[in-house]
PDB file of all heavy atoms in Angstrom:
ATOM      1  N   VAL U   3     -10.227   7.684  -5.169  1.00  0.00           N
ATOM      2  CA  VAL U   3      -9.111   8.370  -5.892  1.00  0.00           C
ATOM      3  C   VAL U   3      -8.935   7.738  -7.223  1.00  0.00           C
ATOM      4  O   VAL U   3      -8.891   6.515  -7.354  1.00  0.00           O
ATOM      5  CB  VAL U   3      -7.797   8.186  -5.078  1.00  0.00           C
ATOM      6  CG1 VAL U   3      -6.638   8.798  -5.708  1.00  0.00           C
ATOM      7  CG2 VAL U   3      -7.937   8.735  -3.651  1.00  0.00           C
ATOM      8  N   PHE U   4      -8.868   8.534  -8.262  1.00  0.00           N
ATOM      9  CA  PHE U   4      -8.581   8.057  -9.565  1.00  0.00           C
ATOM     10  C   PHE U   4      -7.159   8.364  -9.974  1.00  0.00           C
ATOM     11  O   PHE U   4      -6.675   9.426  -9.725  1.00  0.00           O
ATOM     12  CB  PHE U   4      -9.584   8.710 -10.657  1.00  0.00           C
ATOM     13  CG  PHE U   4     -11.014   8.225 -10.425  1.00  0.00           C
ATOM     14  CD1 PHE U   4     -11.889   8.975  -9.729  1.00  0.00           C
ATOM     15  CD2 PHE U   4     -11.450   7.061 -11.094  1.00  0.00           C
ATOM     16  CE1 PHE U   4     -13.186   8.553  -9.463  1.00  0.00           C
ATOM     17  CE2 PHE U   4     -12.743   6.669 -10.881  1.00  0.00           C
ATOM     18  CZ  PHE U   4     -13.610   7.451 -10.140  1.00  0.00           C
ATOM     19  N   LEU U   5      -6.485   7.388 -10.632  1.00  0.00           N
ATOM     20  CA  LEU U   5      -5.077   7.512 -11.034  1.00  0.00           C
ATOM     21  C   LEU U   5      -5.028   7.630 -12.545  1.00  0.00           C
ATOM     22  O   LEU U   5      -5.950   7.158 -13.268  1.00  0.00           O
ATOM     23  CB  LEU U   5      -4.309   6.365 -10.489  1.00  0.00           C
ATOM     24  CG  LEU U   5      -4.317   6.044  -9.054  1.00  0.00           C
ATOM     25  CD1 LEU U   5      -3.556   4.752  -8.753  1.00  0.00           C
ATOM     26  CD2 LEU U   5      -3.759   7.226  -8.276  1.00  0.00           C
ATOM     27  N   ASN U   6      -4.016   8.218 -13.003  1.00  0.00           N
ATOM     28  CA  ASN U   6      -3.682   8.334 -14.414  1.00  0.00           C
ATOM     29  C   ASN U   6      -4.832   9.023 -15.207  1.00  0.00           C
ATOM     30  O   ASN U   6      -4.969   8.814 -16.427  1.00  0.00           O
ATOM     31  CB  ASN U   6      -3.493   6.895 -15.098  1.00  0.00           C
ATOM     32  CG  ASN U   6      -2.348   6.153 -14.387  1.00  0.00           C
ATOM     33  OD1 ASN U   6      -1.386   6.782 -13.965  1.00  0.00           O
ATOM     34  ND2 ASN U   6      -2.516   4.852 -14.259  1.00  0.00           N
ATOM     35  N   ASN U   7      -5.545   9.936 -14.541  1.00  0.00           N
ATOM     36  CA  ASN U   7      -6.546  10.745 -15.229  1.00  0.00           C
ATOM     37  C   ASN U   7      -7.519   9.871 -16.028  1.00  0.00           C
ATOM     38  O   ASN U   7      -8.077  10.320 -17.030  1.00  0.00           O
ATOM     39  CB  ASN U   7      -5.898  11.791 -16.116  1.00  0.00           C
ATOM     40  CG  ASN U   7      -5.089  12.804 -15.316  1.00  0.00           C
ATOM     41  OD1 ASN U   7      -5.471  13.084 -14.187  1.00  0.00           O
ATOM     42  ND2 ASN U   7      -3.995  13.243 -15.856  1.00  0.00           N
ATOM     43  N   GLY U   8      -7.823   8.678 -15.557  1.00  0.00           N
ATOM     44  CA  GLY U   8      -8.685   7.862 -16.271  1.00  0.00           C
ATOM     45  C   GLY U   8      -9.603   7.054 -15.318  1.00  0.00           C
ATOM     46  O   GLY U   8      -9.478   7.259 -14.112  1.00  0.00           O
ATOM     47  N   ASN U   9     -10.354   6.196 -15.878  1.00  0.00           N
ATOM     48  CA  ASN U   9     -11.251   5.370 -15.000  1.00  0.00           C
ATOM     49  C   ASN U   9     -10.814   3.945 -14.850  1.00  0.00           C
ATOM     50  O   ASN U   9     -11.574   3.045 -14.467  1.00  0.00           O
ATOM     51  CB  ASN U   9     -12.678   5.442 -15.584  1.00  0.00           C
ATOM     52  CG  ASN U   9     -13.250   6.796 -15.424  1.00  0.00           C
ATOM     53  OD1 ASN U   9     -13.027   7.467 -14.442  1.00  0.00           O
ATOM     54  ND2 ASN U   9     -14.066   7.262 -16.362  1.00  0.00           N
ATOM     55  N   LEU U  10      -9.506   3.655 -15.286  1.00  0.00           N
ATOM     56  CA  LEU U  10      -9.103   2.252 -15.179  1.00  0.00           C
ATOM     57  C   LEU U  10      -8.674   1.804 -13.773  1.00  0.00           C
ATOM     58  O   LEU U  10      -8.740   0.690 -13.433  1.00  0.00           O
ATOM     59  CB  LEU U  10      -7.945   2.052 -16.149  1.00  0.00           C
ATOM     60  CG  LEU U  10      -8.275   2.234 -17.603  1.00  0.00           C
ATOM     61  CD1 LEU U  10      -7.020   2.006 -18.485  1.00  0.00           C
ATOM     62  CD2 LEU U  10      -9.409   1.302 -18.028  1.00  0.00           C
ATOM     63  N   THR U  11      -8.264   2.791 -13.002  1.00  0.00           N
ATOM     64  CA  THR U  11      -7.852   2.503 -11.583  1.00  0.00           C
ATOM     65  C   THR U  11      -8.603   3.313 -10.628  1.00  0.00           C
ATOM     66  O   THR U  11      -8.652   4.532 -10.788  1.00  0.00           O
ATOM     67  CB  THR U  11      -6.364   2.718 -11.410  1.00  0.00           C
ATOM     68  OG1 THR U  11      -5.599   1.950 -12.390  1.00  0.00           O
ATOM     69  CG2 THR U  11      -5.904   2.338 -10.087  1.00  0.00           C
ATOM     70  N   LYS U  12      -9.267   2.653  -9.637  1.00  0.00           N
ATOM     71  CA  LYS U  12      -9.955   3.385  -8.662  1.00  0.00           C
ATOM     72  C   LYS U  12      -9.525   2.805  -7.273  1.00  0.00           C
ATOM     73  O   LYS U  12      -9.477   1.628  -7.101  1.00  0.00           O
ATOM     74  CB  LYS U  12     -11.507   3.202  -8.881  1.00  0.00           C
ATOM     75  CG  LYS U  12     -12.361   3.940  -7.981  1.00  0.00           C
ATOM     76  CD  LYS U  12     -13.790   3.786  -8.379  1.00  0.00           C
ATOM     77  CE  LYS U  12     -14.786   4.535  -7.522  1.00  0.00           C
ATOM     78  NZ  LYS U  12     -16.169   4.337  -7.904  1.00  0.00           N
ATOM     79  N   ILE U  13      -9.264   3.714  -6.344  1.00  0.00           N
ATOM     80  CA  ILE U  13      -8.819   3.246  -4.992  1.00  0.00           C
ATOM     81  C   ILE U  13      -9.860   3.725  -4.012  1.00  0.00           C
ATOM     82  O   ILE U  13     -10.299   4.934  -4.046  1.00  0.00           O
ATOM     83  CB  ILE U  13      -7.478   3.842  -4.650  1.00  0.00           C
ATOM     84  CG1 ILE U  13      -6.429   3.351  -5.635  1.00  0.00           C
ATOM     85  CG2 ILE U  13      -7.112   3.506  -3.226  1.00  0.00           C
ATOM     86  CD1 ILE U  13      -5.053   4.103  -5.450  1.00  0.00           C
ATOM     87  N   ARG U  14     -10.217   2.864  -3.101  1.00  0.00           N
ATOM     88  CA  ARG U  14     -11.034   3.211  -1.903  1.00  0.00           C
ATOM     89  C   ARG U  14     -10.316   2.787  -0.669  1.00  0.00           C
ATOM     90  O   ARG U  14      -9.588   1.849  -0.670  1.00  0.00           O
ATOM     91  CB  ARG U  14     -12.395   2.503  -1.986  1.00  0.00           C
ATOM     92  CG  ARG U  14     -13.416   3.116  -2.904  1.00  0.00           C
ATOM     93  CD  ARG U  14     -14.769   2.484  -2.627  1.00  0.00           C
ATOM     94  NE  ARG U  14     -15.675   3.048  -3.492  1.00  0.00           N
ATOM     95  CZ  ARG U  14     -16.842   2.521  -3.810  1.00  0.00           C
ATOM     96  NH1 ARG U  14     -17.272   1.480  -3.208  1.00  0.00           N
ATOM     97  NH2 ARG U  14     -17.672   3.089  -4.657  1.00  0.00           N
ATOM     98  N   TYR U  15     -10.493   3.560   0.437  1.00  0.00           N
ATOM     99  CA  TYR U  15      -9.936   3.239   1.639  1.00  0.00           C
ATOM    100  C   TYR U  15     -10.969   2.743   2.612  1.00  0.00           C
ATOM    101  O   TYR U  15     -12.073   3.339   2.614  1.00  0.00           O
ATOM    102  CB  TYR U  15      -9.207   4.470   2.268  1.00  0.00           C
ATOM    103  CG  TYR U  15      -8.065   4.955   1.397  1.00  0.00           C
ATOM    104  CD1 TYR U  15      -8.243   5.959   0.462  1.00  0.00           C
ATOM    105  CD2 TYR U  15      -6.813   4.387   1.449  1.00  0.00           C
ATOM    106  CE1 TYR U  15      -7.165   6.394  -0.335  1.00  0.00           C
ATOM    107  CE2 TYR U  15      -5.785   4.802   0.694  1.00  0.00           C
ATOM    108  CZ  TYR U  15      -5.940   5.834  -0.215  1.00  0.00           C
ATOM    109  OH  TYR U  15      -4.861   6.269  -1.010  1.00  0.00           O
TER     110      TYR U  15
END
Side-chain angles (χ1 to χ4, degrees):
V3 177
F4 290 94
L5 303 175
N6 300 327
N7 296 324
N9 292 325
L10 296 179
T11 302
K12 185 175 180 181
I13 298 172
R14 280 191 184 164
Y15 296 96

